[in-house]
Amino acid sequence: MKLRVRVDHSTYSALKEVEKEYREVLEDAMNYGLSNKTTSFTRIKAGIYRSEREKHKDLPSHYIYTACEDASERLDSFEKLKKRGRAYTEKPSVRRVTIHLDDHLWKFSLDKISISTKKGRVFIFPTFPKVFWKYYNKGWLIASEARFRLMKGNVVEFYVVFKRDEPKPYEPKGFIPVDLNENSVSVLINSKPLLLETNTKKITLGYEYKRKAITAGKSTKVREVRRKLRKLRERDKKADIRRKLAKLIVKEAFESRSAIVLEDLPRRAPEHMVKDVKDKQLRLRIYRSAFSSMKNAIIEKAREFGVPVILVNPSYTSSACPIHGAKVVYRPDGGSAPRVGVCEKGKEKWHRDVVALYNLKKRAGDVSPVPLGSKESHDPPTVELGRWLRAKSLHSIMIERKMTEMRV
Ligand SMILES: [Zn+2]
């Protein structure tokens, strides 16, 4: 957030002095990085700190750190531009300087902000815009890194960064296991399984088909082709589904103070689940969006809410009966219900995802009994993509289901 502050002449000139020397350190740091072919902050700092300290004796030493960081970021983004062929100069040039501050170089309070200079601390007195109070009063914290830039007419533009404090995970009172599959995500809430369709595989294959139709016989270097491909927005659409689903699951866990239990998927393990897809690249794409990206989306959301996540060993989670420990046998030919198997010992029927859910919960340390022979164990309620996308919570989906069942 930008704060514009007019300051008196002596404050401005103290900051001007800092700007001048900061720019010199920054230029040296960048030259060092370029001639030593590194963009690493640590290496640049190690390379120039001592000599810069000699050159700038009264400059607070932390400006050398932040200038090195600044240089490392600038060199990094220059490298990226160069790789994409968008760099117009041989080496990056320093035009405008925004001085980076760390927690040693500035202090925040609501009536004044202090900034270290060669002449000791100077103070600026900002008036805060409405939007500042909106964040400030909602419990956002001000980050220890800030920046300022000197403008004409004794004006300082000061940038503060708001950040969310991550809540500490609570002690879980229960577990919500989550099983990821190529076309669905299943959850178990109060011993009730729920299968939420994501159609990740179907959607990915559909996009592949569209992409092939666009590029057939044409080069992807042609602008029109590139534009059409961009308009597909496959990544955005899939990310939307993931974010929404992660939020539904995490909110449910948060409200019942439960931990989320997920398979700690090794990189390539569930590839057999998409083995009918011949194209290796495509298989990898499906795997990434259905498994690893989905898992990451849930973990990220959980961290934001302070919901604990337990990662468990994924081996045999869908092949061992959660009641008898015996093998659950799935029909090799698939049949009409390829995901339904029979327990070798108790002969009861199981849906593959429900087996996985109970086993995940057990592996997380839950010892509560598993209900035997319920209809849901082999025929879990399925919620279509369009329906859960519109739902406010998983809870509301379950209540809605109960109502329709009662009416039936
Ligand atoms: Zn059994």
Side-chain angles (χ1 to χ4, degrees), residues 121-242:
R121 289 181 176 272
V122 296
F123 300 100
I124 63 171
F125 304 89
T127 44
F128 299 104
K130 242 189 201 154
V131 62
F132 174 91
W133 295 110
K134 215 172 102 189
Y135 282 104
Y136 193 80
N137 291 332
K138 273 198 176 153
W140 287 69
L141 300 176
I142 289 166
S144 59
E145 302 84 40
R147 293 173 185 195
F148 74 85
R149 195 159 81 179
L150 297 178
M151 309 303 281
K152 280 185 184 136
N154 290 355
V155 170
V156 179
E157 280 186 357
F158 197 91
Y159 298 84
V160 289
V161 177
F162 276 108
K163 61 170 189 183
R164 252 286 182 227
D165 194 18
E166 277 180 12
K168 283 213 170 63
Y170 46 79
E171 235 357 273
K173 288 193 184 123
F175 300 96
I176 296 184
V178 180
D179 183 50
L180 309 177
N181 276 302
E182 67 267 41
N183 276 323
S184 65
V185 168
S186 308
V187 291
L188 191 67
I189 298 164
N190 299 327
S191 293
K192 297 271 183 221
L194 198 61
L195 207 141
L196 303 150
E197 284 184 344
T198 55
N199 297 339
T200 309
K201 184 178 167 187
K202 276 187 211 154
I203 292 173
T204 310
L205 292 176
Y207 275 116
E208 180 64 10
Y209 181 78
K210 286 185 202 156
R211 201 176 300 117
K212 282 238 170 82
I214 292 171
T215 56
K218 292 176 198 132
S219 162
T220 50
K221 289 202 178 89
V222 178
R223 257 177 86 183
E224 183 62 12
V225 174
R226 291 237 298 262
R227 193 185 61 84
K228 276 188 183 161
L229 286 176
R230 238 192 344 264
K231 266 185 90 179
L232 286 177
R233 294 179 58 233
E234 175 179 2
R235 196 175 300 171
D236 294 359
K237 285 177 192 166
K238 288 201 287 195
D240 259 4
I241 294 176
R242 279 199 294 274

Side-chain angles (χ1 to χ4, degrees), residues 321-326 343-348 350 372:
C321 171
I323 295 176
H324 305 98
C343 169
E344 271 191 331
K345 196 170 175 196
K347 305 291 176 207
E348 75 281 10
W350 285 105
L372 176 65

Side-chain angles (χ1 to χ4, degrees), residues 61-122:
S61 66
H62 275 256
Y63 280 115
I64 299 173
Y65 293 121
T66 58
C68 288
E69 248 163 21
D70 194 350
S72 149
E73 281 164 25
R74 284 168 185 251
L75 290 168
D76 244 355
S77 51
F78 184 76
E79 288 269 290
K80 281 188 190 125
L81 283 178
K82 220 163 77 182
K83 268 187 200 138
R84 277 189 275 144
R86 294 273 175 83
Y88 301 111
T89 50
E90 259 314 293
K91 58 180 226 168
S93 59
V94 178
R95 267 172 294 171
R96 298 187 85 167
V97 174
T98 303
I99 295 106
H100 293 211
L101 302 167
D102 67 9
D103 52 348
H104 291 259
L105 296 171
W106 76 296
K107 288 262 165 353
F108 178 86
S109 73
L110 284 177
D111 53 333
K112 60 177 187 264
I113 291 172
S114 76
I115 305 170
S116 295
T117 69
K118 292 176 75 171
K119 300 188 172 64
R121 289 181 176 272
V122 296

